[in-house]
Amino acid sequence: MKFALVFPGQGSQSLGMMSAYGEHPVLRDTFAEASAALGRDLWQLVQEGPAEALNQTVNTQPLMLTAGIAVYRLWQALGGPQPAMVAGHSLGEYAALVAADVIPLPDAVPLVELRARAMQEAVPQGVGAMAAILGLDVPSIEAACAEAAQGQVVQTVNFNSPEQTVIAGHAAAVQRAADACKAEGAKRALLLPVSAPFHCSLMQPAAEKLKARLATLTLSAPTIPVLNNVDVLVQNEPDRIRAALVRQAASPVRWVETMKAMQDAGLTHVYECGPGKVLAGLVKRCADGLSGGAINDLKGLEAALAAVKG
């Protein structure tokens, strides 16, 4: 069986989420390694909260990266074979790169904390917004955004499934575009509970800060092919990986194309590696020939292990 592991991004976090995986020492060890690199206790935060702190972008991004890698290391510890390919949704791409030995975890955790802080600083809270548009085709959504902009920014930023596209930009423009999408026949247009308009052009200042930090880090060639968000390509040159990460901050996440590319590469199964099951639910909607599963607890891990080992 040719399978991929994909890593979730921001939004899949929840208080106590690591308890679903049992007491294996690799989980605590991974959190200890990340906490030492960051200078604060991520395990205590995920176990005890408070939830408000857990959901702050500057905490969520290092936390979800660490959780994804902890689950991947548990997969390895229990005899899980190496996937044919890895990818991650937005922030999850950093977990994919750590899993593929491109960036060591102690370098990646402070890097995503900087990414989170830079994204928050790029647009003051309340100035930007994001909305999920359900049941409307992409050309119609893009036309609604163009009409609603009125000198502001509103853009398509996450192509999550054929039925779900996320828009982001200035709050007023996002609201106008959401209303226009509903008028065009969208089933729903939901404002998302986020603190910044991720992946739109307003994130360019964050991309510049990321570029400066990435220039100081040593990246290695991947040991597993990593399909990136911004170009839906596998890059092996560290400088190209660096450049793609910089562009990713202010560019759309092309998830539908990512799943189709995995299917075209001959993969048959995609497992979401980490807390949550959003990506597992999107697999079949994006590519009919793929089967999806979620490694979001011990039971899911055991089922995935049994499947890939045949």
Side-chain angles (χ1 to χ4, degrees), residues 249-271:
S251 300
V253 175
R254 296 161 62 184
W255 201 250
V256 176
E257 292 170 83
T258 299
M259 292 298 100
K260 287 180 174 168
M262 287 184 172
Q263 181 174 303
D264 291 346
L267 276 67
T268 57
H269 290 70
V270 175
Y271 293 99

Side-chain angles (χ1 to χ4, degrees), residues 3 50 60 90 133-134 141 156 170 175 190 212-213 239 251 253 259 303:
F3 72 96
T60 307
S90 185
I133 311 300
L134 308 180
I141 296 170
T156 48
H170 289 108
Q175 187 61 64
L190 305 169
R213 173 65 71 88
D239 282 347
S251 300
V253 175
M259 292 298 100

Side-chain angles (χ1 to χ4, degrees), residues 150-254:
Q150 297 174 22
Q152 292 184 308
V153 169
V154 57
Q155 296 160 335
T156 48
V157 294
N158 289 355
F159 301 100
N160 288 335
S161 79
E163 300 87 37
Q164 187 198 106
T165 302
V166 175
I167 62 174
H170 289 108
V174 169
Q175 187 61 64
R176 287 192 297 269
D179 292 343
C181 286
K182 280 194 276 194
E184 279 297 312
K187 288 177 189 167
R188 297 180 81 183
L190 305 169
L191 284 173
L192 300 177
V194 294
S195 57
F198 303 123
H199 294 292
C200 74
S201 59
L202 296 175
M203 290 290 112
Q204 195 54 42
E208 294 304 321
K209 288 178 183 175
L210 256 180
K211 184 177 183 179
R213 173 65 71 88
L214 278 161
T216 70
L217 298 179
T218 301
L219 273 55
S220 304
T223 54
I224 307 167
V226 182
L227 199 56
N228 70 23
N229 284 181
V230 71
D231 301 312
V232 197
L233 290 175
V234 172
Q235 297 288 7
N236 293 311
E237 296 288 327
D239 282 347
R240 289 183 179 230
I241 294 169
R242 214 179 254 113
L245 280 179
V246 171
R247 287 188 294 123
Q248 190 232 45
S251 300
V253 175
R254 296 161 62 184

